[in-house]
Amino acid sequence: MSLVQGNAAEQQACQFLLEQGLTLRCQNYRTRRGELDIVMQDGDTIVCVEVKYRKSTKFGNAAEFVTAQKLQRIQAAFEFYLLDNSLNSTSTSLRIDVIAIDGNRLQWLKNIG
């Protein structure tokens, strides 16, 4: 997937989440442990959103590409984000979601981690 396609998918996901009432905290947060595509606020909950895009499902759907190893990297980067923002993971409501985009079909998978 090209950088342009990836950025377009992230923008589509972000717009979708904003339309659902979430508030954008940041995009493309980078740390030595990995990158967070989107971080949103859903009420009192901070939501880390991984965006996966596939032009077609010929080689599997987008959600299948969020592996256990990828989830561990997301969780590690999320911990850095919390520390950088003076948030405590034990006293802050947290969630990891996936926006899976297969062609024109968008699927929001909540609380995968």
Side-chain angles (χ1 to χ4, degrees), residues 22-88:
L22 281 72
T23 305
L24 179 65
R25 291 182 64 101
C26 75
Q27 282 185 269
N28 301 314
Y29 173 82
R30 287 181 173 80
T31 176
R32 63 189 173 120
R33 296 301 305 252
E35 179 184 343
L36 302 178
D37 292 336
I38 304 172
V39 180
M40 304 289 281
Q41 186 86 33
D42 186 7
D44 293 333
T45 304
I46 298 174
V47 184
C48 173
V49 182
E50 175 69 11
V51 180
K52 286 295 179 190
Y53 169 80
R54 293 290 174 264
K55 187 174 182 177
S56 79
T57 58
K58 184 176 180 179
F59 299 106
N61 66 40
E64 293 173 340
F65 288 86
V66 181
T67 63
Q69 184 179 21
K70 177 68 175 172
L71 187 56
Q72 286 176 336
R73 286 197 302 268
I74 293 168
Q75 289 168 332
F78 202 13
E79 284 294 327
F80 272 85
Y81 173 83
L82 297 172
L83 289 171
D84 279 352
N85 289 276
S86 302
L87 298 165
N88 185 331

